[in-house]
Amino acid sequence: MPQRTVAIVVNTRSANGRDDDLRARIEAALPRTDDRLLWFQPRKASRLDRVCQRAAAVADLVVAVGGDGTVRSAAQHARIRGKPLAVIPTGTYNLLARHLGIPTDLTAATHLAFTGHARPTPCGDVNGLLFFNHAAFGLYTRIIAARERHTALLGRSRVTAVLSGIATLFNRYPILKLRLHTGGEARRCHANAVFFGANPLQLATVDAPFAQQCDGRALGLVLMRHQGRRHVLMAAFKALFKRLSDVPTFELTALQSVEVDIDRHRRRLRVSLDGELVKCRLPLHLSYQTDSLQVVRPDPLH
């Protein structure tokens, strides 16, 4: 078997990667291999995308060590280069790893990354940008931006994320004047938040049957039509019990592709991709792709 070049992108800023010996722990867990290892570690969060681009350019296999944001950036450039991706999850939520059955234990994940098989893995796409978990904008992006501010002050944790989200609900909401084109049909509506889910684990937090409907088949659109603060808080309460479909002001739709435009002067929109804020040009073209990327994982999803 010819020698592989493996590029390992390590984000020590992820929740469980904040230790000085992370690389040493990975090296200790490596199976015996003739692979040529290249290590990449961005010194600043702003350089992560550029580092992932360099890694994918020189590797036969890209290994992402970090949370879902790190994995998304590495996957984006691995897909462009036609390279397989492996994941060693060290983030807070690790939604992709949990969905694919990738171990969250570092030793087990490292062994799988170097000995497992890459398989076609579904993902979402917006204007050429990949996402595994979600693409969202409107009120959701405000919650993400507030979470990052609060995290800088209080540290990264689930409690901080929840409290930050609740605090954001008491501020002014964006009102989005949407134009949706899908299946040859077009319609208009006003919304406070738009959420496209590609990972059933995340969709299940708002509606479990809807998540099952979308799993491995489609993007799940969760559209929050314009409503007052009291109704938003009621919806948040409903979401705790995973029955958001019971709230009449929410619309849940499974779809393969859609074009989304917004009536606004600024043609660049802040979008949350797997929790990372990215500016995208309108209109947004979203689609569900089943085989555009190979990911090392234990078994086929279905």
Side-chain angles (χ1 to χ4, degrees):
M1 181 176 179
Q3 183 187 55
R4 296 184 303 178
T5 297
V6 180
I8 307 173
V9 180
V10 182
N11 184 3
T12 57
R13 293 173 175 80
S14 60
N16 297 318
R18 296 171 180 265
D19 59 61
D20 296 331
D21 64 342
L22 179 60
R23 173 172 169 172
R25 290 169 57 205
I26 294 173
E27 289 177 329
L30 287 172
R32 296 187 62 180
T33 177
D34 293 327
D35 293 335
R36 174 173 173 250
L37 306 183
L38 300 178
W39 296 83
F40 296 82
Q41 183 174 325
R43 296 182 180 181
K44 298 180 180 179
S46 60
R47 296 187 59 84
L48 175 61
D49 190 69
R50 183 175 298 180
V51 167
C52 290
Q53 183 180 28
R54 288 171 46 213
V58 299
D60 299 309
L61 170 69
V62 179
V63 180
V65 183
D68 288 317
T70 303
V71 173
R72 193 206 70 79
S73 293
Q76 172 70 24
H77 293 288
R79 182 178 67 163
I80 291 172
R81 292 281 183 171
K83 307 294 180 61
L85 175 79
V87 178
I88 301 176
T90 62
T92 302
Y93 300 105
N94 301 314
L95 288 171
L96 176 68
R98 287 163 50 200
H99 173 47
L100 299 183
I102 297 171
T104 55
D105 173 75
L106 185 138
T107 299
T110 301
H111 188 270
L112 174 65
F114 282 82
T115 63
H117 298 286
R119 309 174 190 275
T121 299
C123 66
D125 184 278
V126 53
N127 290 8
L129 298 176
L130 171 153
F131 61 94
F132 287 115
N133 301 324
H134 72 259
F137 51 93
L139 179 59
Y140 192 88
T141 55
R142 292 197 177 188
I143 291 175
I144 294 296
R147 184 193 69 186
E148 293 305 310
R149 293 195 302 270
H150 296 148
T151 295
L153 295 173
L154 304 174
R156 188 175 296 273
S157 71
R158 294 175 189 269
V159 173
T160 299
V162 171
L163 294 179
S164 178
I166 292 174
T168 305
L169 290 177
F170 287 93
N171 295 324
R172 292 180 60 188
Y173 298 155
I175 302 175
L176 306 172
K177 299 178 181 180
L178 300 177
R179 287 178 286 167
L180 303 173
H181 299 262
T182 182
E185 299 181 356
R187 66 186 179 96
R188 293 175 176 266
C189 64
H190 289 185
N192 296 124
V194 182
F195 181 98
F196 291 93
N199 187 328
L201 290 182
Q202 196 161 40
L203 288 173
T205 63
V206 294
D207 191 273
F210 179 60
Q212 293 178 355
Q213 177 188 350
C214 297
D215 188 5
R217 302 176 185 88
L219 290 177
L221 167 61
V222 181
L223 180 69
M224 186 175 80
R225 292 192 289 272
H226 179 49
Q227 56 192 303
R229 182 172 289 108
R230 180 171 64 89
H231 291 94
V232 173
L233 292 173
M234 289 176 59
F237 180 77
K238 285 277 189 179
L240 292 175
F241 296 94
K242 303 183 181 181
R243 292 298 303 176
L244 197 57
S245 57
D246 293 341
V247 183
T249 49
F250 277 77
E251 177 183 321
L252 277 63
T253 308
L255 43 79
Q256 292 295 318
S257 63
V258 62
E259 179 185 288
V260 182
D261 206 349
I262 303 175
D263 292 338
R264 53 181 277 167
H265 294 297
R266 295 181 179 177
R267 301 306 291 166
R268 293 180 69 84
L269 179 70
R270 190 169 60 171
V271 178
S272 171
L273 297 181
D274 293 354
E276 304 294 320
L277 296 179
V278 179
K279 286 188 177 181
C280 298
R281 184 171 294 279
L282 293 170
L284 304 178
H285 299 273
L286 295 110
S287 63
Y288 186 72
Q289 302 184 358
T290 57
D291 59 1
S292 65
L293 177 71
Q294 300 274 331
V295 178
V296 177
R297 50 189 174 88
D299 294 300
L301 294 177
H302 300 287

